[in-house]
Amino acid sequence: SSIPKIVILGAGYGGVLTSLRLQKELNYNEADVTLVNKHDYHYITTHLHMPAAGTDNPENARVNISKLIDEFKIDFVKSTVVQIRPQDRKVILEDGTLSYDYLIIGLGGESETFGIPGLGEYAMNIRSINSVRLIREHIEYQFARFKREPHRTDYLTFVVGGAGFTGIEFIGELADRIPELCKQFDVDPALVKIVNIEAAPTALPGFDPELVEYAMQVLQKKGVTFRIGTAIKECTPDGVIVGEGEEIKSQTVIWTGGVRGNRLIEEAGFETMRGRVKVDEFLRAPGHDNVYILGDNSLVFNPEGRPYPPTAQMAMQQGVNCAHNLVASIRNQPLKTYSFSNKGTVASLGKGEAIGIAFGKKYKGRVAAWLKKAIDIRYLFIIGGIPLVLRKGKFF
Ligand code: FAD
Ligand code: NAD
């Protein structure tokens, strides 16, 4: 047919926002839109530190895609993408093939291990509903194991590799969960260790030093030990090797040391840096006017020439811009340049505690925690309106 085919890969922040905008802006029969995702749900990645630690139910971090998109306007295909073939304008799924005129890649990133031996095999990552369920169950299992082998205190040492925002938000939750687990399993809290290992000279490198200091104080008070300026060199079945060969024994290593682009993008032949594509000003892959790349797979530079860190905030804004440009392309109208508008950063440190910068001001403690909640609720509202806010929004 002559109706252009738009295929969106991944129903994360970028893919969902593109879909929602397209279904609003496109006229009847103006384009055929297909959204492909591995699962029939969208997960709220920015909440995953909570179900990972077990301070929240994984159900609260996922939303069925059928509740988000209008299936009269967008075809949803639940499948896993196995290959992207830009030369043929095709996408190979585990169970079929799709052809496209416009492709939007929003498959999210992958854990970056920097080639550190053992991380892929022995460490766990906070990346999806399935990966956080594993972490939660694994942590509980260590308490159960310890009761049978009380000399194995390494079962009660929890190592978090990397003190970026993911690591910091996770240890905030884990520190809240430990007392509960100790009570439940009759374990002396003094035996439990949470060790956060960070290679850089500071936690949250690049963030406001006063807020970083505050965050560390809050977390130390909850029992977290920081090993700053200490790199993880290897991960083994018995723990991690750090610095100049010191071993920290642990059966639980959560790696939050960074994100890279999805391997499918490199494999498709796009030019990448750490798996990400340096997109043009309209968010397209260079040399491919019909391929847009969003979120953790895109590389966008600030006016000073430094790459922006990949965030949900950015992926969402890109989704809106991408949808606009798709509609404009179809209507032969000029495309709109993308520029990131930073609304701020707020990170939780567990119950009732957070740090953040928003509207050009610093926030900490209860006010920051409240701000974090407001951001979460705003997101639910944007993607699912008031019904979703009422179902998934946690007001207390
Ligand atoms: P994702 O949201 O990662 O979505 C990718 C989608 O693609 C998923 O649905 C996945 O299932 C699907 N997919 C992957 N591979 C395939 C395949 N082969 N076939 C089919 N489907 C596939 N950012 C912020 O701005 N603010 C925050 O507060 C914040 N908090 C965070 C907290 C945590 C614990 C973590 C881990 C990250 C946080 N981030 C935050 C970063 C943010 O989550 C990411 O930048 C964002 O999710 C990237 O969105 P995306 O659209 O690129 O992909
Ligand atoms: P990151 O890359 O921001 O942080 C990884 C940390 O691991 C860095 O501090 C790095 O120095 C450290 N590290 C790397 N190698 C190491 C090693 N061998 N040993 C010890 N430490 C090592 O990754 P992230 O925290 O997963 O964040 C990814 C993106 O998601 C970022 O852009 C972040 O801003 C965003 N995010 C935002 C929020 C929020 O706004 N609340 C929360 C989570 C993530």
Side-chain angles (χ1 to χ4, degrees):
S1 79
S2 58
I3 303 178
K5 280 194 196 129
I6 300 177
V7 172
I8 302 166
L9 306 181
Y13 289 80
V16 162
L17 264 289
T18 307
S19 303
L20 291 175
R21 281 304 175 114
L22 281 180
Q23 78 184 18
K24 203 168 146 204
E25 289 177 26
L26 282 172
N27 295 325
Y28 180 70
N29 262 353
E30 215 175 352
D32 255 352
V33 186
T34 303
L35 172 65
V36 183
N37 195 60
K38 211 184 253 187
H39 315 105
D40 57 8
Y41 55 84
H42 160 75
Y43 48 76
I44 304 172
T45 316
T46 62
H47 289 196
L48 289 180
H49 52 293
M50 296 183 279
T55 52
D56 193 12
N57 190 315
E59 287 311 307
N60 288 333
R62 64 171 174 167
V63 185
N64 287 336
I65 287 169
S66 61
K67 298 257 188 218
L68 298 179
I69 65 158
D70 178 349
E71 289 183 88
F72 286 101
K73 293 185 175 168
I74 293 182
D75 291 321
F76 174 64
V77 175
K78 175 179 177 288
S79 188
T80 298
V81 179
V82 295
Q83 197 189 18
I84 300 166
R85 301 172 67 126
Q87 292 76 8
D88 308 325
R89 301 197 167 198
K90 280 190 197 312
V91 174
I92 316 297
L93 309 178
E94 60 184 350
D95 49 6
T97 301
L98 290 172
S99 45
Y100 62 80
D101 298 302
Y102 296 96
L103 183 67
I104 296 83
I105 306 179
L107 293 169
E110 289 182 5
S111 169
E112 169 70 281
T113 60
F114 303 104
I116 297 168
L119 277 180
E121 294 87 336
Y122 309 119
M124 293 175 282
N125 305 114
I126 302 174
R127 283 240 59 92
S128 63
I129 293 290
N130 290 326
S131 77
V132 302
R133 281 189 188 124
L134 181 70
I135 294 171
R136 176 196 179 128
E137 299 285 329
H138 178 94
I139 291 170
E140 286 192 23
Y141 181 52
Q142 302 317 304
F143 278 81
R145 278 171 103 190
F146 172 74
K147 295 307 284 187
R148 275 175 41 122
E149 298 169 76
H151 63 287
R152 292 293 300 270
T153 47
D154 60 318
Y155 290 161
L156 300 179
T157 297
F158 301 95
V159 169
V160 178
F165 282 112
T166 304
I168 290 290
E169 287 200 314
F170 175 68
I171 54 172
E173 299 301 315
L174 186 58
D176 284 352
R177 183 84 201 290
I178 293 298
E180 252 175 50
L181 288 170
C182 285
K183 216 178 256 172
Q184 191 183 334
F185 287 88
D186 307 300
V187 164
D188 176 2
L191 296 173
V192 181
K193 287 196 193 99
I194 302 175
V195 188
N196 190 188
I197 303 172
E198 167 60 53
T202 164
L204 300 175
F207 201 59
D208 179 85
E210 182 197 328
L211 294 176
V212 174
E213 184 56 37
Y214 177 82
M216 286 182 69
Q217 276 171 16
V218 167
L219 295 169
Q220 277 163 340
K221 227 176 268 165
K222 293 195 202 192
V224 174
T225 305
F226 284 98
R227 296 289 305 271
I228 303 297
T230 307
I232 291 184
K233 298 281 171 63
E234 190 180 346
C235 186
T236 71
D238 302 321
V240 289
I241 313 289
V242 302
E244 300 310 314
E246 177 195 350
E247 181 181 36
I248 298 174
K249 283 201 182 297
S250 166
Q251 291 292 305
T252 311
V253 179
I254 315 295
W255 174 247
T256 60
V259 200
R260 60 179 282 113
N262 198 297
R263 73 194 61 199
L264 291 174
I265 295 182
E266 272 168 358
E267 288 168 9
F270 294 107
E271 196 181 309
T272 59
M273 283 166 72
R274 280 180 64 186
R276 300 200 172 102
V277 177
K278 186 181 170 188
V279 291
D280 72 10
E281 71 269 39
F282 305 121
L283 301 173
R284 302 174 307 187
H288 300 265
D289 285 356
N290 63 335
V291 180
Y292 289 81
I293 301 189
L294 309 179
D296 286 2
N297 287 309
S298 70
L299 201 53
V300 177
F301 288 80
N302 68 18
E304 288 83 53
R306 304 204 343 157
Y308 285 114
T311 60
Q313 189 185 161
M314 170 133 104
M316 290 169 69
Q317 293 179 15
Q318 289 178 327
V320 171
N321 195 279
C322 170
H324 177 95
N325 284 346
L326 288 165
V327 174
S329 289
I330 289 168
R331 294 180 188 160
N332 280 319
Q333 290 165 353
L335 304 186
K336 203 158 82 185
T337 297
Y338 171 75
S339 72
F340 177 53
S341 151
N342 190 357
K343 308 279 186 243
T345 301
V346 185
S348 122
L349 306 169
K351 202 170 170 51
E353 277 289 355
I355 49 168
I357 297 183
F359 321 110
K361 274 181 68 181
K362 296 185 199 182
Y363 296 88
K364 57 190 175 206
R366 208 155 272 289
V367 183
W370 177 83
L371 202 58
K372 181 80 181 158
K373 210 153 271 185
I375 295 166
D376 290 348
I377 287 171
R378 174 177 175 267
Y379 179 63
L380 294 173
F381 181 75
I382 289 173
I383 64 169
I386 285 172
L388 190 61
V389 171
L390 295 178
R391 266 192 300 123
K392 306 273 173 174
K394 288 190 295 148
F395 299 96
F396 302 105

